[in-house]
Each structure stands twice: as C-alpha cells, then as structure tokens.
Amino acid sequence: MLAITLRRCVTACVALAALAVFATACGGDTDPESSPTAGATSSATDNTPEVTTDTSPTPDPDAWRAKFDADQLSAYDTALQRWDSYESRSEPIWAKGKATPAAEKLFKEFFPHPIWVGQFEQLQTYEQYEVQIAGTPDVLWSRARSVTETGSGVVIMQCVDYRSTTTTQNGNPTQPIESRQKPVLREINLSKPEGYGWLIYAINATPGANGKKDKPCDPTS
C-alpha cells in the first residue's frame, strides 16, 4: 500500500514538472460591419457593405530593447544563445530519460553547483519511474526582463507553447497540465561569474515551484 501511495505521489509531481501540454487556439477576427446607404439608391448600392479599416499602429515586438544600452543588449543576446544551446542539447537527454555520465557532464557545463545536482537528481527520478520528455516548447517571443548594469546577469522572459512536447510514463502519455493548454510565461535566470561563461541559475517553468503558478501570455504581444 505504501509503494502504491508513493508511486501516485511521484506521478503527480512528475505531471506538474513535465513539459508537455496541449493548448487551444484563440478566436479569429470578426467580419466587418456594413451600413445601409441613406436616401433613394439602387438595390446594388444598398447591398454594398461599408468596410471600416483599422488604422491603429501595430505594436513593435522589439520596443522593449529601447530600455537597455548596447552592452546590456549584447549580454542578453549572448545569454539567450546560451540558453537555446542548453535546451537543444539537453532535449535528447530528457527524451531518453536516463541518468548517464554524459547527462551529468552536460548539467555541470550549464549549471553551477549545486543546481546541476538538482537537475541530475530530477533525471534520476524520471529514470526510476520511466518518464521521458521529448521535444522542446515553441518559443513565441523572448525578451529581457532585466539586465545588470555590468551585463553579468540577465533574466529572460519567454512566451512558450508546450504543445510541441510530449511526456510519457511507462510508455503512456501523462496527464496534461490544465494551465498549459495555452501559451504561458517562462523565466530563465542566467549569470556570468568572473572567470566563467554563462550559467543557468534558475528556470521558473514548473507550476507550483516556489509557490509560483503558470501565467498565460499573449503570443502576439
């Protein structure tokens, strides 16, 4: 009975930590309204709709960059490339779900101690309960939330869609996370200590982690 209860607990935790969900699409634009022409006109004129064009300016997706100087933006771009490298290189590791020496080496390359230990222990738990996470989430937009004046620390905010990932346990799909049935925010904290390259210090991507919950995001903002 204890073993069954433990397995249910771990399965629930894995469902929360797993990066696999299915999102629903937003509604489309509405049709333009038509107005009848005043006065005596032909039937052809009466049936001609009056189309109103929206002249509001389109938001600039890069407007946030104006808040930072050239050095800070350079630091952000480099930190983002570092994160992208980790996500692509670690995908086969999480997809296989095996705590191998190669996986440990990768975590040590991208995370400081003891954070890399936590990543490796999580992978060991996934291996024990036969959990695999395949694919990477679609990044709808990415921007800097903050950059230190020296450019040695960057917090990256992303709007991501987890529908492009799949999570299985014992070969079967896991319960999808309800809050991730639409795009949500993801935050990555990177720092560059003296004498080191960019290291990942935090990934706030798990519902309930540190008391945080998923927050939906507008993929077009």
Side-chain angles (χ1 to χ4, degrees):
M1 183 65 181
L2 177 59
I4 296 176
T5 303
L6 176 60
R7 177 173 290 274
R8 289 178 177 173
C9 178
V10 174
T11 301
C13 293
V14 166
L16 288 177
L19 307 181
V21 290
F22 305 92
T24 55
C26 298
D29 297 333
T30 57
D31 294 330
E33 297 182 358
S34 60
S35 302
T37 304
T41 58
S42 66
S43 58
T45 303
D46 291 340
N47 294 331
T48 301
E50 179 182 346
V51 179
T52 302
T53 303
D54 185 3
T55 59
S56 58
T58 302
D60 182 2
D62 292 327
W64 63 269
R65 297 180 75 92
K67 300 178 181 179
F68 303 98
D69 61 32
D71 290 339
Q72 289 175 314
L73 290 175
S74 178
Y76 160 77
D77 291 335
T78 305
L80 178 60
Q81 291 174 6
R82 179 69 168 170
W83 165 255
D84 290 342
S85 177
Y86 165 73
E87 190 160 49
S88 63
R89 289 177 58 186
S90 65
E91 191 278 335
I93 290 175
W94 297 107
K96 188 176 182 180
K98 302 295 182 182
T100 63
E104 179 179 347
K105 181 179 179 181
L106 183 74
F107 292 149
K108 287 181 177 179
E109 179 182 346
F110 284 90
F111 295 90
H113 186 277
I115 297 176
W116 74 263
V117 177
Q119 293 291 310
F120 192 68
E121 288 177 346
Q122 182 179 2
L123 185 59
Q124 289 176 318
T125 300
Y126 282 9
E127 179 177 9
Q128 180 181 0
Y129 291 95
E130 299 185 25
V131 174
Q132 294 86 33
I133 304 173
T136 58
D138 288 332
V139 179
L140 306 176
W141 53 254
S142 181
R143 63 189 59 156
R145 178 176 181 179
S146 64
V147 183
T148 61
E149 292 185 2
T150 61
S152 61
V154 174
V155 177
I156 299 173
M157 186 69 69
Q158 293 183 326
C159 181
V160 296
D161 191 337
Y162 287 101
R163 288 178 296 181
S164 57
T165 67
T166 56
T167 302
T168 59
Q169 183 174 18
N170 300 317
N172 299 313
T174 60
Q175 181 75 18
I177 301 173
E178 183 178 357
S179 63
R180 292 186 175 180
Q181 295 180 2
K182 53 188 174 183
V184 295
L185 291 173
R186 177 174 70 178
E187 186 178 286
I188 307 106
N189 191 328
L190 300 97
S191 291
K192 187 179 181 182
E194 186 175 354
Y196 293 86
W198 285 99
L199 297 174
I200 303 167
Y201 279 77
I203 308 170
N204 295 326
T206 303
N210 300 320
K212 294 187 177 182
K213 297 181 180 180
D214 276 328
K215 293 182 180 179
C217 55
D218 183 353
T220 62
S221 65

